[in-house]
Structure formats: structure tokens, C-alpha cells
Amino acid sequence: MINTTPTAPHTQRPTSVTRVMALVLAALIPGWVVLVISFSWGYLINPLLACATALVTEAALLKARGRPVLFFLKDLSALVTAVLLALALPPLSPWWMTVLGTALALIFAKHLFGGLGNNPFNPAMVAYALLLVSLPLYMTTRWANPDQWLSLTDTLSIIFAGGVPIDAATAATPLDVYKLNIANQTANEVLRAPIFGSFVAEGWDIANLAFLIGGGVLIWQRIISWHIPVALLGALMLMSLLFGSDADLRVPLSLHLLGGATMLGAFFIATDPVSAATSNRGKLMYGAGIGVLIYLIRTWGNYPDAVAFAVLLMNFAAPLIDHYSRPRVYGHRKAVKGYKRDD
Amino acid sequence: MNAPLIITDRPHRFHGGVHPAENKTQSNGTAIEALPLPSVLVLPLRMHLGAPAEPRVSVGMTVRKGDVLADADGAISAAVHAPTSGRITAIEERIIAHESGLSAPCIVLEADGEDVWRERHGYPDWRQRDTAELIQRLRDCGLAGLGGAGFPTDVKYRNTHHAIDTLIINAAECEPYITADDRLMRERATEILEGAGIAARLVGAKTIRLGIEDNKPEALAAMTAAAEALALSLRVTVVPTKYPSGGEKQLIQLITGREVPAGGLPSDLGIICQNVGTLAAIRAAVIEDEPLIRRVTTVTGAAADRPGNYEVLIGTPIETLLNHAGVHLKKADRVIMGGPMMGFALPDITAPLSKTTNCLLVPAKNELPPSQIDNPCIRCGQCEQVCPAGLLPQQLFWAAKSRDLDSAELHSLGDCIECGACAWVCPSHIPLVHYYRYAKGEIRHEREEQIKSERARARFEARQARLEKEQQEKEARRAARAKAAAEAQARKQAEAGEASSDPVQAALERARAKRAERQNDVSDAGQPSIADLEKALELAAAKVKKANERLVAAEQEAPDTVPALQKAISKLEEKHRQAQQALDAARDQGNAS
């Protein structure tokens, strides 16, 4: 009758890592769909390509490391990394860039550190940063133009056949355009560019709102806690109000929030629990740090968007934050901070 | 009689907590049923926290119901009593209800079926009696907490470090499936409250507060009705159903909003917390002189045909109770003692029921989720959100897994109450509590090792010091001997020179000078020390001995020197006597002062 003596608790909430990852993927769908509709097929083809690469790479690495392949493949974590990376890359990136990026993420940022749960840095952002510093041209000139619907065959030829997209098919990102043009134009003049559309930034704004909704679902489902996104967005807003309230001088807040990768970063990338700070208070510090860094890099840095570098820099800081943000334990007068107990 | 008897307070909150399926209705619908008298009872000597009891019976003895079988041994211990009348057939190691299928010393009692009580002296007049007498009664009756840990009850009441003003009745019963306290309250609320009255008197508590989860309305109604009937004023806090609200620390926080200090006890807050079952047992012990020989145990789970609550004698084999409740062992996935959150799977069901067995859960095959292979921790932090102690379970896990005990302590591992809420929500199915127990065990082990090595070091150092001292003493003795030898040599030379004139004169001069010097020294010091006098005496005795030897030699070789020598000897003897007197006088003086 009894052949095992399992330990307490004997009951469990019906949940699993697979469910967590599947919900993250599901919550990405609204934003993903908006991106495909706004920027055509590139955002469909590249993520699928990344997924295929991820599955193959993950399986090969698990095999090489002597780990159960199917057991870990079905946790879906590789797919989350792949989709996040592909959604962050320019949609018209050549196929080899997507494949290379995905493989880099899984090999160097994940499995070399010991696989799921052991990576100190966000794998998708490591790959993104590597590609950005190695292939700046591809990373800046392959953004799709929301006003130009590219046919499936054209997209396929650009991605797979080494085709160079015609100028009309591409466009710089709204953050880039604004930052570049505000130097010698007024805000009204800058915003006349078609890329800003009727709301904040054509395509980008709706996609950001869709990611915001997806993130809300994750918080509601308790897959992520509210701390990181709220602190991140709060800090970004505060920085923008402090330093960039004049739209004729700096990128306005609306564009910061809805014009780049902000919502994807706030709800799906910064919240990667493995590489983030741990406690609730730590998550607030960590999220706020990312928000501040995003603003600093976007405003005074050379890169068009800043989510990847901001996240990676705070990944470095996460262990330190953990040591100084422990919560107060029941029955203790104050929290134990730092590396030594003082009692 | 101005204030209303029953006051209802609003509950405070505690951090975290989880909502596992309650599963209470399977067993709380039927009345408590007494189990028929079993033929054999096995009574472990340790069914409580603390030292095992010391047997007082021998094999072959007949005992009556309620007779003491084993005495409490030491301050924290509890006696064991005969649950029925019969004969002691063995005192030996038997398998007890333990996670590892451990054996432990037990007294085996064969029931004679008569169930004859020993003489009893109840205290219906307990209000007129001395508290010390009542507390002694709790100890004599072998009372231990029935809620789970089995802490000897009398110890709680002996605590005089803090003034107690509040007695909290723990009626939360937050573990899923268990309904023993629920039924007890519905059926014996008066007994519980009488017990509470006694307990409150014992510690001098002015307020009695009841903490009960909102999923037990019938029990609450019974308790308030009984309180009204007894004219006992009661403050009630109905807490939301959330695990682990029945944890002592959590319940105190829910009721008072205060936290038991880390490393402290509820008494630090002026609170004593007691489970309803224990209160009923206190009443039985004081008023009826009934030792702790029975308790109410829930048998539940889909593998049981007749789930419900059973009143069982302590020591009843678990198998007997399961059979009575219609449990199909073939259908059962496992037998859990306690609830699904904190209970443990029994490796052997022949083990006896103990004082702390509040539930036997026999889930059918698919009733509880199957054990799963754990995934890596992804630090999702859901454990942190539910931890009622406010810990970081994921950090504790990493520390325990890498055996980083310093880090585990830095993250306050010792404050973990092992409630299992973290493991319940873990999407990676990590047996977190298991890791914490491992780390706690390692820390305990390391502390013990440290104490051991500390002791060994002290022993070693003491030995070193002793050896060194011995060596020094040896050295001192050798130096003294060498000095004495040198002096003797000098004297010999001096005496040898007595024959020749000049050197003799010189030697005499030297000796005189030395004597004068010594006298000066003595007078300088004012009073010669006993040691000096002893030395002088020794010297004088040695001189007398030497002179006598020389006299014997002279009588044969040079008879003409004999008279001179005899004169010298008498002088020396006189000196010796003086030295002896001086020493005696000094000693007397020393004794007198």
C-alpha cells in the first residue's frame, strides 16, 4: 500500500513552471498580434524562427549537459526567452541574426550558468545587447515602417534571401526620430512626421497598451507581482517629469511610455524572476533602478532604446539589493540587513 | 454585570497565508463516537515534548484504569497512565508513530475488559484550592498539549517570568480535513470553557479570548451559548479561514495585532495560548482526577467509509481505529498522521495513537496531487507572498541547498514555523520544508559539535596547565635539593677546616656573619614566616643528625675529640628545640589570627 513516504505538505496548489511560462506566453499574445498587424509579417516570422531555434538549441544543450531533455523542454522557458528576444529585435532582421541571437541567449546566458533558475542575467537581453554592440547597422536599420504593409513574399525574401529592404519599407523608431529632430525643431514640427500617427507613435502605442493589458493579466493571475512594473514605470515617469517636462527639449513622457519597448520591458523582461531582486522591497528598488537607467540612457546615451542595458545593469545589482532589502521577519523589531547579523 | 458577557473583536491580519481546499465536511457532520475498548494498548514513554517518562510498573503487574505507568522524569516531561484496567505484558521497544518508522520504549497493556477505575479524588471545589496544588495535578495527570506539539501543560503554568493577563483559546483548527476541535466545541463547549476558567485562574489571566475560523459557525454558537450559561465573559475573534491562522504566533497576531518576539514565548506578551482539546483535558484532570488517557481523533479521507471523529484511548493501535472507521487500505494512497499541510506519512500503521494524534488522513489514490519531480527554483517569489513568518523562502532554499548555513541564519531560518505554505504554492514542486528541516538539523548539529569541541578545548587546556604546574613544582623541588646539597657541601668544607686553625676561625667568622645577617633579615621582616621557621627547623635537625653521625665515627677513630663533639651536639640540639618552639609559636599565632 505505502511505498513512498512523501513529506509535508501532502497537497499542492495546481500549478507548475510550465503553467507559469505558458501564461507568460499567452499574455504576450495581444501585444504580439498588434505588432504583426502594425508592422507586417516580420514580427510573425522571426519569433517563430526564434522558437524553432530555441527548441533545437535547448534540446542539444540539455543532451550535452546530461539532463533529461523532455522534462526540461516542456517547462517552456526556452520559448519565453525566444519570443521575448524576437519581439525586441527589429522585425526585418535577417534570419541568421535571429538564430544567432537565440542561440547566444540559451548557450551563453542560460546553460553555461547552469540552466533554468541559475542565470544571473536575463538571457534575451544578453543576446540583444550582444547583437546591438556587434551588429549596430542591422539593429538600427531593420525597423519596419508602420505605413508600409510589406507582403509576405517581400518579408520572406528580406529575412531569408538576404534582400535589403527598400527605404520606404523601413523607418527609424519613434524615440530615435524624436530625439534626433528635437535638436533643431519644435515639438509640433517633430510630431508632424507620419511615424507618430494620430495618438503617440503609430503601431507602437497600441502595441504598448496591449503589452500593458497582458502584464495586467499576469499580475491578476499572480504570475508576477506588481512591484517591478509599477516601480519601473513610476521611476521613468518621475525622471521624465523632473528632467523632460519641456517637449520642445526632450522626448515627452507619453513617448517614453508608449513609443518604445517600455511596456514589454516593464511587464515581461524586467520581471524575469530569476535575474531580478527577490523581496518585495528589493523588487521596488530594482524596478526603480531600471526606470531611472532607461531614462538616463535614452536621454543622454547613444542607444535608441535602453531597456536591455538598464535591465542588465540592474541584474548586476540584484544580489546586492537582495542583501539590503530583506523584509522584517515576524517577531523581529527590524529587518536583518547586509551580510552579517548584528545580534 | 454591566459589561456584556460576549464581546466580539475584529481580527487583525497576518502576512501571507494560503487557501487550500478545506475538506472539513467529510468528517464534521457526525457526532464524536467512542471506539470500543481495544484488547491491547501500547503506550510509548514519550508522547510529549521533553524527556521520556520513567516506568514505574513491571511486567506481570495488574493495573487499574488511571494508574500511573510511568512518571514524568525531569522538569519538562509528562507521566503516562493506564488507559484501562489490565495486565502489563511487556516493556520493550515498539514501533511508534514517527516519520521514519522509529522504535521506542513502550509499555504494553493487555486490557481485562473490566475498565475499572482507580480511586479518584476530583477537585470540584477547585476554586478554593491552591494554584500550586492544581498545577501539580496537571503534572500528575500527564497533561500535554493536544494541538500538535505535545508540550507538557504544567510547564506553561509554572512560568512566572511574566504576568499573564490573557488566555487565548485556540479554536482556529486551520489544517484542512481536521475537525476534532470543531466537533469537540459543538458537543462539549461547557467542558472546554470550564477548563478555560481553571486555566485562567492558574495563570491569573483576567481576559479569556477565543480565536476561531469563520468556517465553524456551529462551534462558535455552541461556545458562546455555553459561555452565557456559565456566566463566563468571553471575547471572541472570528478570523477569516486562511491557513495557518491556527499557528500560535499567527493566532496571537490575528487576535491582538502583536507579534511574539523572536526567540520568545507568548508569555512575553502576557498571553498563554491553549488548544480547546487541552482545555477539556485540564478540566477532566482537575475536576474528575482523570489523567490524559483519551482524546478525540479525526479519521477522514476518501479511503474511509465512515469518516468522522472518534474518541480513542491513548495507545490504541492506529490499525484498530482505521478498521473501525471502515478504511480500505488498498484504496488508500498513504496514511497521514496530522493534516495534509503539516502531517507526516506513517510508514507502519501498527504504531499506537499518541497524545498528539489529532487526525488520521487516508486519502484515496487521486485525492491528493501525486508527488512530482521538482523543477529548478525560478525565484518567482510566490513563496514569499504567502510566508506567514515574513521570510524569503526562496533564499532560504538556495542557502539550504548549498548548505550555506550562515546565509540560512542570516535569512532567519530559525523563525520558520514549517507550515508548508511556501511548498504549497511552489510552481516548481520543490519540497521546501524538507530543505528547511535539513538546514535546521545541520545548524543544530554544528552547534552541538561546537559545544563539544569547546569542551574538549577546555579539557585540553586544563590538562596542559596541570602538567605545566607539576613540571614547575618538580623544578622547584630540584632547585631546593641542589641548594641544600651546595650548602651541605660548604658546611662540610667549613667543618673539615675546623682542625686547622685559621680556616676554622674564618669559617666561624663567616658563620657568625651569616647568622647575624639572618637575624637582621628576620627582624627586618618583623616576624619570620612559618616557611622560614620550618626551613630553620629542618636545617637544625639535619645538623644534629650530621653531628651525631660524626660523633659515632669519632668514637672509633679519634676518641679525644668526642667530648668536644658531644658539647657541640648538645648545642645543636638546643638550637633545634628553639627552632621547634619558634615554629610552634608561629603556627599557634597563625591559627589564632
Side-chain angles (χ1 to χ4, degrees):
Chain A
M1 172 199 67
I2 304 157
N3 38 30
T4 52
T5 48
T7 55
H10 301 269
T11 176
Q12 248 258 320
R13 187 167 67 171
T15 176
S16 64
V17 176
T18 309
R19 180 175 172 273
V20 170
M21 298 293 172
L23 273 169
V24 172
L25 286 173
L28 279 167
I29 287 174
W32 190 354
V33 168
V34 172
L35 284 177
V36 174
I37 292 171
S38 309
F39 298 96
S40 95
W41 301 102
Y43 272 122
L44 186 65
I45 295 163
N46 269 327
L48 291 179
L49 185 61
C51 283
T53 312
L55 288 177
V56 173
T57 316
E58 178 97 343
L61 285 166
L62 287 168
K63 187 95 185 148
R65 291 178 55 222
R67 299 290 153 132
V69 175
L70 268 182
F71 178 78
F72 281 110
L73 264 191
K74 73 174 197 290
D75 69 27
L76 305 182
S77 63
L79 293 187
V80 172
T81 301
V83 172
L84 286 178
L85 175 64
L87 291 183
L89 290 177
L92 299 179
S93 302
W95 66 271
W96 52 266
M97 216 167 96
T98 309
V99 170
L100 182 70
T102 311
L104 282 175
L106 292 176
I107 296 170
F108 289 98
K110 184 177 178 187
H111 282 280
L112 279 191
F113 286 101
L116 180 64
N118 294 301
N119 47 297
F121 305 106
N122 186 316
M125 291 304 101
V126 169
Y128 184 92
L130 278 173
L131 292 176
L132 186 57
V133 293
S134 321
L135 305 160
L137 192 68
Y138 285 100
M139 291 292 281
T140 47
T141 60
R142 295 293 183 121
W143 296 99
N145 185 348
D147 290 325
Q148 188 77 31
W149 181 261
L150 213 56
S151 72
L152 184 58
T153 41
D154 286 348
T155 313
L156 284 171
S157 102
I158 290 169
I159 291 176
F160 289 101
V164 178
I166 49 161
D167 278 355
T170 62
T173 62
L175 278 170
D176 231 4
V177 171
Y178 198 101
K179 191 175 155 190
L180 212 65
N181 294 349
I182 200 66
N184 42 27
Q185 289 180 340
T186 63
N188 283 334
E189 287 167 342
V190 174
L191 289 174
R192 241 175 265 143
I195 191 175
F196 295 103
S198 51
F199 181 35
V200 176
E202 196 177 349
W204 294 91
D205 44 15
I206 310 293
N208 266 301
L209 290 174
F211 283 126
L212 174 68
I213 290 166
V217 171
L218 287 186
I219 291 175
W220 169 56
Q221 283 292 308
R222 304 206 179 174
I223 298 299
I224 59 172
S225 72
W226 58 267
H227 302 82
I228 292 176
V230 167
L232 189 156
L233 297 175
L236 183 60
M237 283 190 236
L238 195 69
M239 288 297 283
S240 179
L241 292 177
L242 277 178
F243 298 103
S245 50
D246 185 358
D248 288 327
L249 210 60
R250 300 246 187 269
V251 176
L253 176 59
S254 57
L255 203 56
H256 269 301
L257 292 178
L258 302 177
T262 308
M263 293 301 170
L264 182 69
F267 288 95
F268 294 91
I269 292 170
T271 53
D272 164 34
V274 177
S275 52
T278 297
S279 66
N280 288 344
R281 204 183 323 163
K283 284 179 197 156
L284 288 175
M285 297 183 194
Y286 174 85
I290 295 176
V292 169
L293 282 171
I294 287 177
Y295 189 83
L296 293 180
I297 298 172
R298 275 183 185 172
T299 309
W300 289 287
N302 274 332
Y303 291 102
D305 206 334
V307 173
F309 289 111
V311 167
L312 289 174
L313 283 170
M314 289 312 286
N315 285 167
F316 274 107
L320 185 74
I321 293 176
D322 281 346
H323 275 284
Y324 288 92
S325 61
R326 284 186 207 112
R328 187 187 66 83
V329 174
Y330 179 104
H332 289 249
R333 274 192 305 110
K334 55 185 179 34
V336 180
K337 291 212 170 93
Y339 295 81
K340 262 186 88 175
R341 279 189 94 106
D342 28 60
D343 54 30
Chain B
M1 286 278 98
N2 303 331
L5 273 177
I6 313 289
I7 302 171
T8 307
D9 297 301
R10 286 171 64 88
H12 297 259
R13 296 186 65 242
F14 72 90
H15 179 266
V18 292
H19 296 97
E22 291 176 31
N23 284 304
K24 301 265 192 187
T25 49
Q26 293 96 314
S27 57
N28 71 359
T30 49
I32 298 170
E33 183 190 330
L35 194 75
L37 192 65
S39 54
V40 176
L41 293 154
V42 180
L43 296 135
L45 292 177
R46 211 180 93 164
M47 294 185 273
H48 50 266
L49 216 80
E54 184 66 34
R56 239 182 59 177
V57 289
S58 49
V59 176
M61 271 175 73
T62 51
V63 292
R64 287 161 303 167
K65 183 174 189 163
D67 274 339
V68 177
L69 299 183
D71 270 327
D73 186 21
I76 300 180
S77 183
V80 177
H81 298 78
T84 183
S85 57
R87 204 170 60 87
I88 307 296
T89 55
I91 301 178
E92 61 187 21
E93 296 256 321
R94 288 285 182 104
I95 289 171
I96 58 162
H98 189 272
E99 240 163 316
S100 62
L102 201 69
S103 293
C106 297
I107 296 176
V108 184
L109 173 66
E110 201 180 79
D112 59 12
E114 306 287 325
D115 210 27
V116 191
W117 266 103
R118 66 160 158 77
E119 215 172 294
R120 288 193 283 169
H121 307 281
Y123 296 158
D125 56 344
W126 58 272
R127 279 190 179 80
Q128 274 77 53
R129 288 186 182 261
D130 192 34
T131 11
E133 194 179 357
L134 298 178
I135 293 173
Q136 188 56 39
R137 168 59 62 85
L138 300 185
R139 182 170 166 93
D140 293 343
C141 283
L143 254 64
L146 297 181
F151 191 73
T153 307
D154 63 296
V155 182
K156 275 193 178 185
Y157 295 93
R158 281 185 212 282
N159 172 21
T160 50
H161 303 303
H162 299 272
I164 305 289
D165 53 42
T166 307
L167 167 73
I168 289 182
I169 306 176
N170 187 344
E173 200 169 54
C174 59
E175 269 262 10
Y177 283 101
I178 308 179
T179 56
D181 288 351
D182 184 6
R183 286 306 317 185
L184 197 72
M185 284 188 280
R186 293 196 208 182
E187 296 175 34
R188 301 175 195 170
T190 309
E191 288 179 28
I192 294 166
L193 290 174
E194 278 175 353
I198 297 171
R201 154 116 201 273
L202 290 183
V203 288
K206 287 179 281 295
T207 319
I208 301 178
R209 304 184 72 164
L210 174 74
I212 186 166
E213 277 192 341
D214 60 8
N215 62 357
K216 289 181 265 295
E218 296 91 346
L220 175 63
M223 290 291 274
T224 48
E228 270 161 5
L230 287 171
L232 185 83
S233 52
L234 188 68
R235 284 177 67 179
V236 178
T237 310
V238 180
V239 303
T241 299
K242 182 165 82 164
Y243 179 86
S245 64
E248 189 172 71
K249 290 176 168 180
Q250 281 63 46
L251 190 66
I252 288 172
Q253 194 175 15
L254 280 167
I255 293 179
T256 66
R258 297 165 73 196
E259 296 180 9
V260 180
L265 290 170
S267 58
D268 296 338
L269 303 177
I271 292 170
I272 189 167
C273 205
Q274 205 83 73
N275 161 271
V276 290
T278 317
L279 289 172
I282 288 175
R283 181 206 162 272
V286 170
I287 297 183
E288 319 270 358
D289 190 14
E290 183 193 322
L292 183 53
I293 52 170
R294 63 188 165 106
R295 67 158 299 140
V296 177
T297 297
T298 306
V299 181
T300 184
D305 274 352
R306 299 194 300 116
N309 286 285
Y310 295 88
E311 179 141 49
V312 286
L313 295 179
I314 310 287
T316 304
I318 285 166
E319 205 171 7
T320 310
L321 175 57
L322 293 182
N323 287 340
H324 186 79
V327 170
H328 299 279
L329 290 175
K330 285 216 167 63
K331 276 206 306 197
D333 184 45
R334 55 193 113 158
V335 176
I336 297 166
M337 183 182 273
M341 294 299 284
M342 286 185 80
F344 58 88
L346 277 174
D348 194 325
I349 53 164
T350 57
L353 273 148
S354 89
K355 291 177 182 175
T356 54
T357 311
N358 54 0
C359 177
L360 292 170
L361 171 58
V362 274
K365 292 277 187 264
N366 293 317
E367 193 172 354
L368 297 179
S371 304
Q372 302 196 50
I373 300 168
D374 49 334
N375 285 74
C377 170
I378 53 169
R379 292 182 196 258
C380 65
Q382 293 186 25
C383 45
E384 180 198 346
Q385 313 303 332
V386 301
C387 180
L391 298 165
L392 294 173
Q394 71 276 47
Q395 300 294 76
L396 284 173
F397 159 71
W398 287 93
K401 194 176 180 184
S402 53
R403 208 182 170 282
D404 185 351
L405 303 181
D406 289 340
S407 171
E409 292 199 80
L410 208 55
H411 287 91
S412 308
L413 175 65
D415 291 287
C416 166
I417 59 168
E418 300 178 19
C419 67
C422 50
W424 189 78
V425 296
C426 180
S428 293
H429 313 297
I430 301 171
L432 291 164
V433 181
H434 203 51
Y435 279 96
Y436 306 150
R437 287 195 186 136
Y438 159 75
K440 282 181 179 179
E442 288 293 294
I443 289 171
R444 202 160 42 232
H445 182 70
E446 222 161 68
R447 289 234 174 92
E448 280 161 9
E449 287 291 306
Q450 208 177 342
I451 291 168
K452 252 192 226 164
S453 67
E454 203 55 40
R455 278 199 201 122
R457 196 176 56 80
R459 263 205 310 275
F460 175 75
E461 280 172 0
R463 182 171 181 272
Q464 283 300 101
R466 180 170 54 79
L467 290 180
E468 212 165 287
K469 202 177 150 207
E470 277 175 10
Q471 190 62 34
Q472 273 172 4
E473 282 170 0
K474 231 186 209 168
E475 206 62 53
R477 276 202 301 275
R478 201 163 50 219
R481 267 204 310 278
K483 200 179 158 202
E487 275 173 10
Q489 189 70 27
R491 238 182 357 259
K492 218 178 193 171
Q493 275 172 5
E495 278 164 8
E498 255 176 33
S500 60
S501 62
D502 271 329
V504 172
Q505 204 56 41
L508 282 174
E509 287 294 338
R510 273 207 302 279
R512 208 169 289 133
K514 213 174 192 177
R515 207 159 39 239
E517 200 180 295
R518 204 175 293 149
Q519 269 166 1
N520 280 347
D521 275 2
V522 167
S523 57
D524 277 353
Q527 203 91 59
S529 75
I530 289 178
D532 286 343
L533 290 170
E534 272 171 352
K535 223 189 230 162
L537 180 64
E538 228 174 74
L539 213 65
K543 276 181 182 166
V544 171
K545 201 175 156 212
K546 275 263 166 62
N548 277 324
E549 276 166 20
R550 221 173 291 131
L551 179 63
V552 172
E555 271 167 358
Q556 316 219 322
E557 289 159 24
D560 54 333
T561 56
V562 167
L565 279 171
Q566 272 170 341
K567 207 171 158 195
I569 285 172
S570 67
K571 244 185 197 164
L572 284 170
E573 276 173 342
E574 174 60 24
K575 264 187 194 159
H576 179 240
R577 204 168 47 247
Q578 279 171 2
Q580 182 71 54
Q581 276 167 1
L583 179 62
D584 288 343
R587 275 196 179 136
D588 286 343
Q589 206 173 358
N591 288 342
S593 67

